[in-house]
Amino acid sequence: MNPPSPVNPDPRRSLPSVDRLVAELERRAPDAPRWALLAVARDQLREARDQIARDGAAIDLENVIAKSLRQAARLAEPAPGPVLNATGVVLHTNLGRAPLAEGAVRAATLAAAGYSDLELDLSTGKRGKRGARVADKLVRLSGAEAATAVNNNAAAVMLALDTLARGREVIVSRGELVEIGGSFRVPDIMERAGVRLVEVGTTNRTHPRDYENAIGPDTALLLKVHRSNFEVRGFVKEVGLGELAEIGGRHGIPVFEDLGSGSLIDLRERGFPRDSYPPSRLTEGADLVCFSGDKLLGGPQAGLVIGKSEIVEAMNRNPLARALRLDKMTLAALDWTLSALLGERPEQDIPVLASLLATPDTLERRARDLAERLRKCLEVLGSEVQVACETDRAPVGGGSLPGFELDTWVVALRGGEGPESLAARLRSSTPPVVARNRDDALLLDVRTITDEQLDPLAASLELALR
Ligand SMILES: *Cc1c(COP(=O)(O)O)cnc(C)c1O
């Protein structure tokens, strides 16, 4: 573009028009979408005019162009964009929790792209019930009397509280008034659901008599909340679900557990904790249990509810259910996931299960494979970064199984500019890689990396260290 005219006294006059700037941006970035170029051209010219008004100095047009191109590229990227999860944390909240199975993705795509029998019974031609088949599969998997699914687990809790206890009292232990992931706070949800919270016990100890003493004519529900993201140790007493159900049964008050996370295949025999299997919570006496679709279950974001028919039907009839319902893409992905759980090889079909149940041999082989590729790249680059294969332990994450860790294999990177700087470089590489730090090393944990991702991971590292 032409330099600003030296005879022009007002530097604002030297700025190009939006159209001229867009034309120049298009010339330099022919693949960038025009809407993005137009948007950044407007923003950048406004900013430049403001800056001139503030300091009166002329603007370097090349700077404006370079900044515009960077911002247009950023604006045109898909959001959220894909990243490689090398943290080993299978249900990483910041990385979108459960990755969906390929089959579930195809099911969601099909449902999204065309018409479907979402609410039509094809055999009668009459109106059908959205989600009926998902509910049926949840019942088959859990052995519960009834089941339903809503938008997420927070919605399930809200709907259950509103249905069972609106305007009445709900008793919760002070040890379970938890906050999960910053925005889900049990007391706040209860307030919004219009129920009166009756806190019993203390942070570390709650006894059966605490519940007994709090029960009155207005008590609608006994609530148990899974602690999900922390542990209490030491001088601790909690009323178990069985005991709580016994108290509820004696007083004719239902017991509802917000379990947060659970799998519908029984992982307990594979060394996972006893509260990882929601159906067992019903056997222990809960009337209703809810948990997330995109945590241990390995499906899309959803709130899954299993329990007594009477309660589930009342929840489905609640006008709030309409506001919390699942969309057709999620429903299709959830249906596919539940079918895979009913099928012969859920551990192969569902990525979360594949990651959680990966054998030490598989993990070691993958780590050695990755290390080999990285060594080659680093050698070519003449880098000082050292590569080593090591064992480590990592949590499952995503508000699941606090205090429970899995043995894993990692590729440790040491030396160079240090782990923090290396981590930052990897995050801004292509594709972005998120790893975890331990002491002086940056660890690439292969539990959450598939064999197909080894190549892009090595390529991203090479780019980052260039
Ligand atoms: C994760 C979790 C929630 C929130 O679930 P979403 O599916 O994210 O809405 C609520 N309660 C507990 C105990 C949890 O662990």
Side-chain angles (χ1 to χ4, degrees):
M1 276 183 139
N2 296 332
S5 154
V7 295
N8 196 330
D10 181 351
R12 262 172 295 195
R13 294 267 169 97
S14 70
L15 289 173
S17 67
V18 170
D19 285 347
R20 276 193 63 206
L21 180 55
V22 169
E24 178 61 18
L25 296 176
E26 270 185 318
R27 197 178 64 74
R28 299 198 196 192
D31 294 335
R34 201 182 142 80
W35 66 264
L37 297 179
L38 193 60
V40 297
R42 288 199 178 114
D43 289 353
Q44 289 303 315
L45 288 174
R46 190 180 324 111
E47 212 172 277
R49 275 193 296 274
D50 290 351
Q51 195 184 328
I52 292 167
R54 265 198 319 274
D55 354 320
I59 292 283
D60 179 355
L61 201 51
E62 268 310 312
N63 254 342
V64 172
I65 290 171
K67 215 165 145 194
S68 299
L69 289 173
R70 271 199 309 276
Q71 295 202 345
R74 175 99 187 105
L75 200 56
E77 274 169 9
V83 308
L84 293 176
N85 176 8
T87 65
V89 178
V90 178
L91 300 167
H92 199 301
T93 304
N94 302 142
L95 303 181
R97 289 193 193 155
L100 276 187
E102 264 173 46
V105 172
R106 273 198 307 277
T109 308
L110 264 179
Y115 298 107
S116 63
D117 62 347
L118 180 67
E119 292 187 7
L120 182 72
D121 181 339
L122 291 171
S123 61
T124 62
K126 297 219 169 76
R127 184 173 176 147
K129 209 168 135 271
R130 172 192 288 250
R133 279 174 286 177
V134 153
D136 176 63
K137 284 174 189 166
L138 282 170
V139 165
R140 284 173 202 280
L141 281 162
S142 65
E145 278 182 21
T148 193
V150 292
N151 188 49
N152 57 11
N153 189 48
V157 174
M158 185 93 184
L159 185 59
L161 291 174
D162 186 89
T163 305
L164 289 167
R166 192 156 65 104
R168 300 181 61 202
E169 289 175 356
V170 175
I171 304 179
V172 193
S173 158
R174 288 198 172 86
E176 297 169 15
L177 289 174
V178 301
E179 171 177 313
I180 292 144
S183 52
F184 182 89
R185 287 177 156 203
V186 172
D188 297 349
I189 290 274
M190 294 183 72
E191 191 192 315
R192 282 305 165 120
V195 308
R196 287 201 304 285
L197 168 65
V198 178
E199 304 175 25
V200 297
T202 60
T203 307
N204 57 332
R205 290 175 75 82
T206 304
H207 302 272
R209 65 169 184 276
D210 294 327
Y211 287 94
E212 294 270 8
N213 294 341
I215 290 175
D218 221 17
T219 306
L221 188 66
L222 305 180
L223 173 65
K224 192 155 185 65
V225 183
H226 193 263
R227 280 198 274 275
S228 291
N229 49 10
F230 70 104
E231 278 184 291
V232 277
R233 286 190 223 188
F235 189 52
V236 171
K237 167 85 176 88
E238 176 182 350
V239 179
L241 188 58
E243 270 177 298
L244 197 60
E246 193 270 314
I247 298 170
R250 237 183 313 113
H251 294 269
I253 299 168
V255 173
F256 165 41
E257 180 171 46
D258 172 12
L259 189 58
S261 182
S263 173
L264 287 176
I265 63 167
D266 195 346
L267 295 171
R268 291 175 299 176
E269 54 218 50
R270 316 285 291 260
F272 284 74
R274 51 194 288 262
D275 50 9
S276 63
Y277 188 55
S280 74
R281 310 304 281 174
L282 296 178
T283 332
E284 282 182 50
D287 296 289
L288 196 74
V289 175
C290 70
F291 52 102
S292 285
D294 56 346
K295 293 186 186 168
L296 282 177
L297 187 91
Q301 177 189 302
L304 309 180
V305 182
I306 55 176
K308 295 259 162 73
S309 329
E310 203 187 323
I311 303 177
V312 171
E313 280 159 23
M315 286 172 74
N316 284 335
R317 284 194 306 270
N318 187 326
L320 251 189
R322 175 64 177 78
L324 306 175
R325 76 179 185 186
L326 286 171
D327 73 288
K328 60 189 177 185
M329 288 181 275
T330 309
L331 207 47
L334 180 58
D335 179 72
W336 191 96
T337 307
L338 297 178
S339 296
L341 288 167
L342 283 163
E344 299 298 308
R345 14 165 271 168
E347 325 181 5
Q348 279 107 300
D349 291 339
I350 297 179
V352 163
L353 292 176
S355 290
L356 289 174
L357 300 174
T359 62
D361 286 351
T362 304
L363 296 172
E364 180 177 2
R365 180 193 47 74
R366 202 179 287 154
R368 299 214 179 275
D369 190 345
L370 177 62
E372 202 43 48
R373 291 170 205 238
L374 297 186
R375 276 195 200 102
K376 282 194 194 122
C377 297
L378 294 169
E379 206 172 306
V380 173
L381 293 172
S383 166
E384 288 162 13
V385 173
Q386 297 294 311
V387 179
C389 281
E390 295 169 8
T391 56
D392 197 30
R393 293 175 72 76
V396 169
S400 294
L401 318 179
F404 178 76
E405 289 187 327
L406 293 167
D407 287 315
T408 189
W409 277 87
V410 298
V411 175
L413 304 176
R414 293 191 177 80
E417 299 163 19
E420 309 276 335
S421 155
L422 196 53
R425 278 170 176 270
L426 275 171
R427 281 198 311 272
S428 50
S429 187
T430 313
V433 176
V434 183
R436 80 169 183 268
N437 286 14
R438 190 191 64 197
D439 308 327
D440 62 334
L442 187 71
L443 306 181
L444 303 170
D445 187 327
V446 294
R447 181 180 295 283
T448 43
I449 295 293
T450 63
D451 289 333
E452 295 72 45
Q453 289 172 337
L454 291 176
D455 274 335
L457 178 55
S460 178
L461 193 89
E462 187 176 352
L463 200 65
L465 291 173
R466 198 166 276 162

